Amino acid sequence: MLIIKTSFLQPTGISITPTPGFAFKTSRLSDKMKVFINMAQHEAIDEPGLKKKLDENGEEIEGMNIPMSVGAPVWGEDKKGIKCVIYDIIVNPVVITESVSDKTGKYRDFICQLGMQYLEQKYKEELDKRYKSVSYTHLTLPTICSV
């Protein structure tokens, strides 16, 4: 008799405890539910850098690569007690530092838009690209995440 053991339920990656960065809110287009996104940070996530890849014509191109780890959705309530969904997106601390130090706000906007794009791809959710910065006081802070 052959017994094969599989481990479908074991988490992959490493467990980390990220620290807060900044947060913003938007909404899902399907049902207008409020969505909070925590941009958290941990050094286990690779730093941004240039990455080469092939375009649709097979030509090598170089572009900016900003690794992000998108966590699972968590149900919560906003400060008015209305049901919402919360996502944690973890980036390297360099990304948070550059987002905060950029006085024009363009880099932070780029990171927020990129985070929403990652989230949409992972969970097949279409989000409103308009967003508003919020404080962490009404949100659940990220805890241990697998990346």
Side-chain angles (χ1 to χ4, degrees):
M1 174 190 269
L2 178 63
I3 299 175
I4 299 173
K5 292 185 178 182
T6 58
S7 57
F8 291 110
L9 301 178
Q10 291 182 354
T12 59
I14 59 172
S15 292
I16 62 173
T17 303
T19 56
F22 60 88
F24 60 99
K25 69 179 177 179
T26 185
S27 61
R28 293 192 305 208
L29 292 180
S30 62
D31 60 4
K32 305 298 183 211
M33 179 173 282
K34 198 178 291 185
V35 175
F36 287 94
I37 300 173
N38 294 322
M39 296 299 293
Q41 57 190 326
H42 196 279
E43 55 277 345
I45 305 299
D46 289 339
E47 288 188 24
L50 296 177
K51 185 176 182 180
K52 293 181 182 181
K53 67 177 187 174
L54 299 178
D55 66 10
E56 61 274 356
N57 299 323
E59 300 289 324
E60 188 176 90
I61 57 172
E62 189 173 62
M64 179 59 90
N65 179 41
I66 302 177
M68 296 184 172
S69 177
V70 181
V74 176
W75 294 105
E77 293 181 350
D78 66 8
K79 62 184 175 182
K80 295 178 183 175
I82 299 171
K83 187 176 179 180
C84 64
V85 64
I86 304 166
Y87 293 93
D88 296 331
I89 299 178
I90 308 168
V91 296
N92 185 277
V94 168
V95 175
I96 300 297
T97 300
E98 290 178 4
S99 295
V100 172
S101 65
D102 175 28
K103 301 302 178 202
T104 67
K106 290 181 181 179
Y107 185 75
R108 185 177 179 139
D109 179 58
F110 172 70
I111 296 302
C112 291
Q113 296 294 337
L114 186 63
M116 287 189 283
Q117 184 180 9
Y118 272 58
L119 195 153
E120 287 177 325
Q121 287 175 352
K122 183 171 183 175
Y123 292 109
K124 310 297 184 231
E125 295 274 7
E126 194 172 355
L127 301 175
D128 187 339
K129 300 302 182 276
R130 296 172 296 172
Y131 63 89
K132 183 178 178 182
S133 293
V134 295
S135 70
Y136 269 101
T137 57
H138 301 293
L139 303 176
T140 304
L141 291 176
T143 55
I144 297 176
C145 304
S146 291
V147 293

